Structures are given as C-alpha cells and as structure tokens.
Amino acid sequence: MKILVPIKRVVDPNIRVRVKSDQTGVETANLKMAINPFCEIAVEEAVRLQEAGKAKEVVLVTIGGSQCQDVLRTGMAMGADRAILIETDAALQPLGIAKLLKAVIEKEAPNLVITGKQAIDDDNNQTSQMLAALLGWPQGTFASKLELNGDHAVVTREIDGGLETLKLRLPAVISTDLRLNEPRYVKLPNIMKAKKKPLDVIKPETLGVDFAPRLKSLKVEEPAKRKAGIKVANVAELVAKLKNEAKVI
Amino acid sequence: MTELIKRRDIDFLLYEFLNVEQLLAHPRYADHDRKVFDAIIDTAVKIAEEKFQTCAKDLDNNEPSFDGQKVTLIPQVKEALRAFAEAGFPAATYANEQDGLQLPWTVFQAAMAYFHAANISLSAYPLLTGAAANLLNAHGSVEQKALYLPHMLSGRFFGTMCLSETQAGSSLSDIRTRAEPTDQGYYLIKGTKMWISGGEHDLAENIIHMVLAKIPGGPPGVKGISLFIVPKIHVQPDGSLGERNDVALAGLNHKMGYRGTVNTVMSFGEKDNCKGYLIGEPHKGLECMFHMMNEARIGIGMGATTIGYAGYLYSLDYARQRPQGRHPLNKNPQSPQVPIIEHADIRRLLLTQKSYVEGALALQLYCAMLVDEQKISADTNRKQVLALLLDILTPIAKSWPSEFCLEANKLAMQILGGYGYTREYPLERLYRDNRLNPIHEGTHGIHGIDLLGRKVRMAGGKAFTTLLDHIRETIREASGNRTLQAYAGQLSNTLQEVEKTTAVLIACENLNLSLANSTIYLDMLGHVVIAWTWLRQAIVVAANAGNATGDDKDFYQGKLAACRYFFHYELPKTHGMMQLLQSLDDTCLNITSSQL
C-alpha cells in the first residue's frame, strides 16, 4: 500500500494577514509560513496508517517555489518517506493543481491519496474533489475517521446532518477534516533524519499539463468592520428591523 | 494570539546579530543548517504554546500538594514535560554518541526562551534536570554517567541541585550536611537541604539529587565541600530501579511565584542509610559546581528575560486594543476614544519594556554564543578571551534581567491598570514568577560582590579590560555611521567614567568600603553592557534595513527607536551611579543596626 499526500505551504495560521495596498492579494513577504493545518492532519493520518502496518510507503507532493521544500521536510520529519516538489513560481489554482497532481499520481500509482479538505489561505475546498473526478476515483471528503480493509476504505464523513459512513473501493481520494486526528509534534532527531530523505524536484513542464489559471481575481479587500449595535425598544421594532433593514425574515 | 517571544526578533538575533550560522563551519555542527534550527524552534513554539502556556494559569492556581505520602501536581504538567522530552529537547545539545543532536547551545537557548515565556514554573523542571545532567556529564565517572545520564536525557529521571540549607544559603561555607566514607565505595549522607526545587514529585520514575556535603576531616569553609549523586531510588546497572534510598521529603515551601515548581525541604539519612556517590575528587565539589555555573546562571537570566518579554508583548497587544481617553488636544467628549497606545506615556511604558527585554535577550544569546564558541575554539588565546568575557558577563547576564525585566513586568501591569492587578490577567503571575529571579541562583547582592570583588579584579583586571576592549570595538564600528555616531560618542564617554570609577574602587584599600556599594556597581555596569548590545543591534540594523518594507521596515525602525530610548533615557542614569561610587560613600556601611 502506497499513500500519496499532497500538501500546501501557507501563511502560519497564527499570523494576522494584511491585504496588499494594491488590493491584488494578501501580503506574504517575510511572513512566517507553515504546512497547511488540514494537510498536516493528512500527513499524520498517512504516517499512522504506516505505523499500524497498513501502508508501506508515504510520499508527499507539493507545488510551488523552492521554498516549499520546508514543508516537505516538515512532513518527512513527521514520518513520510520521501517527497516530490513540482517546482514553479507560476500562479496556481485548484484545477491546475489537480491536473498536476493527477499527472504525478499516474506515475507514482499510489493506492490512496489523502489531502487536506481545504487550505487556510484561499479556503477553496476544491482540489481533492477535482482530483478525484479527473482520476475517476471514489472520493471521501471531510473524513473524521478512516479505516483500511483490504481493497476498500471505510470513511466517516462530517456532514451538515451529522456523520455519514462510506465504503470506497481503492484507489480513492480522501480529504481530512479537523477531527480526524491530532498531529504529532515533530521530534528533533527526526528533523535531522528528514534532511537525508529523498526529495525529488520536477518541473511542471515535464508533466505535459496545462495548469494555467482560469479564474481572474478582481480585488481583495478587508472584511467590513463590524459596526456598533443598537438597542431596540420592543419586539415590534426588532421584527420591523429584521424585515426591512436586515431583510432576513 | 500574541506571540510569547517575537519570532522576528529571535531570527534577527540568531541570524543577523550573532550570525549563528558561522558555527556550521565547525565539524561538530556540520550536520545542521538554518532550516534545521528553524524547524527545532518551530517545534519549541508549538509545544510551548499548546502544552506549557495552556496550563500556566491552572498550575499557578493549584500548587503542588503533599498528603504525607506523595506530592501531586495537576496532570497537564506530566503531559507537557513528556511532550518536551519525547521531542528530544533534553539531549539536544549533547554529542551524537550520547544520542544527542549536537545542537549549538545558542539555538537551544532560543528554543528554551519559548518554554520559559510560556510557563516558567514548568520549564524549571527540565532546567534543573539539565543542570544536574550537565554536572554529571562534566565531572562524573564513566560508570556514573552510564548509570544515570541516559535516563536523565530521555526524561525518565529528573534531577535537582541541593546546595542551600536552612542556615546556609548565600554562605555555602557554612553547610552542615555530612558525608561519611564507607569501605563499600559509597558515602553515607546525613543532613537537611532547603529550597530544593523538584525535590519530590510523581512526574518522573526517579529523581537524581546533586548534593553538596562535607567529608569529615576536610579543610574548613568552601574548600571542604564535596559533591555527591544521591538517587531517590537506587538504579541497577541494567537501568531498572532497585530499593528506595534514605531520602525523605520533610516539607513543602509555599512560594509567591513559580508555584508549579514544587519547592521542598529534603532530609537525607534520617535512618542513617542514605547512600551518596562522590563526583570528582573529595573537597572539590564547589569547583565542579562553579564550572557549570556560567551556563546555569545564563539560563536563569534567560528565564527572567523571557518572563519580561511575554509581559511586554501581552501589554503591547492590550494597549493596541483598549480604548480609553482622547488626545490632550481633543476636547470633544462625544468623539470616539483612542486605543491607549495613542498616549505618549503608554508608549513610554512600552518602549522602556522593549528596551529592557530585547536588550536583555540580545545579551543572553550573545553569552550563549560565547559558550558555543568556547566549546569549539581551537585557538588557546581566543579561548582565554572567551572565558574572561563569560566570567565577567555572567553576573550581569543573570542579574540585570532579573532586576530590569522584573521592572518590565511592573510596567506591563501598569498598562493594564486595575485589570493587570487582578488574577484574570496573566501579568500578576508573570510578575510574581519573575520576582524569584533576583533571589535565587545567587542573590542580586551576591552577584554585585562577585562582579566587583572577584570578576573585575580577576587575572589582574584582564576580564574587565577584555570587556572594555570589546565595547570599544563596537564604538569604533558605530563611529563610521552618521546616525549612530552620537551614541558611539556617548558610550565612549561613559566608558571613560566606568574605567575611572572602577580604578577608584579597586584602589580603595578598605575592602569593606570598596564593596559597600557593589550592587550599584552591578546595575551601572549592567546598563553599560545593555547599551552596548543596543549599539551592536543598531549597527546590524543599519547594515540590513536598507530595502526592508512593511512589517520588516517597522521591525528595524523599532529596533533603532529602542536603541535611541536606551541611550536617551537609561544610559545617562549611570553617571549618577558612578558619581556615588567614586565618592566611596559610606552611608550604608556605617549606619548601625540600632540606628535602622
């Protein structure tokens, strides 16, 4: 059993981000970056499956500039065996990413792909679904529990109404929700060991995929500041305001 | 969430101010690189924030209790310390052959800064165990090291340092604990030790006490003190635990701060069967101990610095968010209030804290770097220079933050006003915790005497002149820079006064009079050294800030502002102190007990 885990490098979740002055995006220069928390959960799950003897190899993939090697090293320090960086400084969007991942997956032929359900920077929540569709594989998104039994996976999913359990034929794509596991702390000796684990760098051009962006972002703005509240005199006034001003009833 | 220590500052100090990467050229550190250092600090930040900080308030509210049988602490403590040990921090600076990582001590100190800032009363356990382990590693026999060290480095055993006794704190020459030799190779220890942090608890399988005791017939005073390993439970050669040793908890001390660090009175040999194992030679115990003192004391200074630092960042965040009052020019009561950071006096409180805590952190990491360099330097002359610098800087690195980063905590509390004084906010805890630091590991007064009585005079004054030479080198560097040359001139003038003052004090033949104001001398020289670290930081900023934008630009500008603050508001204070010192004022010396 080989598990492939695509991960993303994002701004550290503890850092407050600011909109660039020209409103083209978010300021990321000199900001502390980290592995996307949902991706970290995906790595943890893959490593646990390996430790439980359910998987033989855990391979990480990321796409981006050479600085993305950091998160691959972090993932290998958590326990992944090797990593692949698809190196590019080009702008990336979920569909392009899914296509690039598909190309790598066809080469690597994993039995299972575990992704984070979304990245905390753009919050798209699209890549894993697109990837499953492109591969024609079953998908189990927002997993809060994952079990592997021979040629299939049993996935408990968090949905609006509660929990849904799916049985998926492998190979499949799973995306992780917050409650799937609690990622481990990286051990210091493993940080040293991760330096020596293989990290292949490939150029996206060699994958023969059109990953050019299809969407254009027009403007990025700060959310509107919350205004001070007011006191209403009675229920009638409240209902009137909800009806006429807030237009929610 | 507020950071515990500004990561940008840690990065600045490690990579710009100290250029810690220069250590990588040495074979000992060849396996490392900046990415490894960063990843290690990342892990420290995570564990500190998630495991140490989260239980700080709970631990403070629930100090360890003793039911007559055992000492109990809240369960989060064990969990946090397990995470710390499992991550590999205790062994990080040790050699590869000892299952360590050969991590530079400077980087280790930077990582420890986060644990201290998050919860000092919890980080005290690994700090003490580390000190005991270092002592064993430096002076223990091969057999002793094999028996205890791996378990102390894995987190299975904890350690303590047993120096003080009820009647002998600062004056170790008066300890009474005895060690009777037997023909079995061990000694029988008998006596009571006071203020023993981590003396008894259920956090580890075993506790290894490092005990100072006197072998009968030895020389009087400090020359007759020996050092012993006294395990709580005897350890078998295969690492398993044997019988309990005759070590008993006599009682708990109830402290103002550091409440999670169980502090004990320990009784050794109540049943005349406490076995202790001599470390090193008889009567050389204090020498062994002092060999490790520089690092232990810099560790204390780091603790004091980081508690101040955490308070600074907390009060900064509060000041940015708390609306209160309007600018003096604004007479309209209907206009919205401004965040208190808009008031100049609040900014003064913040800038004072910033100049203290960031200045102190720079000094701590600089000293740590001296320790690392000393370890690897092959050049005997350079080694000697490093040793002299460390000897004279250690009392300052321990004491200055203990005094002034505690002051920073006071100012942080001031920014929160009444809220800061309540237990709902962490500042009163930080203040109580930090209040210990001028007391333990040598009181503030003892370090004043150590500095003026020993360090300044040692090797014919060579440590002192070495320090001045290093400060002058920085002055020369800064003189070439237009924005910094005024500070260079100011520090140069101050240095001349320092030399004059020191000469007067050393020339004074009455040692009682010469040392009467040594604490003031310690504060004065501390301020000069911190001014020096600020000027050194400013030189680095001048070289690196050129193209900085956004937050980074603010970071560098903030550094320059803090440097300016220290030179305008703080350094001038030393002149008053030096005037007093030069006058050999005998007011305190001569007032009698009955007059007070």
Side-chain angles (χ1 to χ4, degrees), chain A residues 150-243:
Chain A
D151 63 352
H152 63 268
V154 178
V155 182
T156 306
R157 309 179 58 225
E158 297 198 357
I159 56 171
D160 287 348
L163 297 174
E164 178 187 55
T165 305
L166 297 179
K167 187 174 169 187
L168 307 177
R169 184 176 31 80
L170 295 179
V173 177
I174 311 288
S175 80
T176 64
D177 214 323
L178 199 61
R179 278 158 290 273
L180 182 60
N181 60 49
E182 200 178 309
R184 69 196 60 199
Y185 297 117
V186 170
K187 291 186 169 66
L188 272 44
N190 293 348
I191 293 171
M192 304 293 288
K193 283 180 200 151
K195 274 183 73 176
K196 300 197 171 80
K197 291 184 178 178
L199 193 162
D200 295 327
V201 180
I202 55 175
K203 294 283 173 196
E205 296 75 28
T206 62
L207 297 170
V209 167
D210 170 20
F211 63 100
R214 305 288 170 92
L215 307 169
K216 196 177 156 201
S217 72
L218 301 177
K219 198 161 84 169
V220 177
E221 285 178 306
E222 293 271 354
K225 281 233 165 72
R226 206 179 148 199
K227 288 187 191 129
I230 52 158
K231 278 187 184 171
V232 290
N234 50 45
V235 174
E237 192 189 342
L238 175 65
V239 171
K241 281 195 182 294
L242 289 173
K243 228 179 212 164

Side-chain angles (χ1 to χ4, degrees), chain B residues 295-307:
Chain B
E295 288 175 51
R297 287 180 169 160
I298 295 165
I300 298 296
M302 182 58 112
T305 301
T306 57
I307 301 173

Side-chain angles (χ1 to χ4, degrees), chain B residues 35 66 112 143 154 171-172 229 275 362 377 388 399 430:
Chain B
K35 286 191 187 327
F66 180 50
M112 285 308 292
E143 295 77 25
S154 71
S171 176
L172 283 174
I229 303 170
K275 293 176 185 171
S377 178
L388 289 169
S399 298
L430 294 173

Side-chain angles (χ1 to χ4, degrees), chain A residues 12 14-16 18 27 29-35 40 66-67 69-70 73-74 77 182-192 195-196, chain B residues 1-2 7-8 30-33 35-36 39-40 42-43 46-47 49-51 83 86-89 92 101 103 317 321 549-552 554:
Chain A
D12 187 288
N14 293 319
I15 287 184
R16 282 180 211 160
R18 278 204 297 238
E27 196 71 69
N30 296 314
L31 283 190
K32 186 165 157 35
M33 307 296 277
I35 182 169
E40 198 180 11
S66 63
Q67 64 278 12
Q69 294 197 9
D70 293 3
R73 294 281 174 210
T74 306
E182 200 178 309
R184 69 196 60 199
Y185 297 117
V186 170
K187 291 186 169 66
L188 272 44
N190 293 348
I191 293 171
M192 304 293 288
K195 274 183 73 176
K196 300 197 171 80
Chain B
M1 194 171 73
T2 321
R7 183 63 181 268
R8 182 65 185 88
D31 280 348
H32 290 276
D33 56 34
K35 286 191 187 327
V36 168
I40 286 172
D42 284 348
T43 299
K46 239 180 173 175
I47 298 178
E49 287 181 353
E50 292 175 10
K51 298 284 179 192
E86 280 178 359
F89 282 102
L101 293 176
L103 184 69
D317 190 54
Q321 295 186 37
T549 55
D551 288 352
D552 233 30
D554 279 343

Side-chain angles (χ1 to χ4, degrees), chain B residues 524-567:
Chain B
M524 178 280 293
L525 197 57
H527 256 57
V528 172
V529 165
I530 296 296
W532 171 45
T533 70
W534 272 116
L535 190 56
R536 285 198 61 199
Q537 291 188 74
I539 290 170
V540 177
V541 169
N544 295 2
N547 298 319
T549 55
D551 288 352
D552 233 30
K553 190 175 172 186
D554 279 343
F555 173 79
Y556 286 125
Q557 294 292 334
K559 281 280 179 201
L560 290 181
C563 177
R564 175 180 164 165
Y565 175 86
F566 205 85
F567 275 83

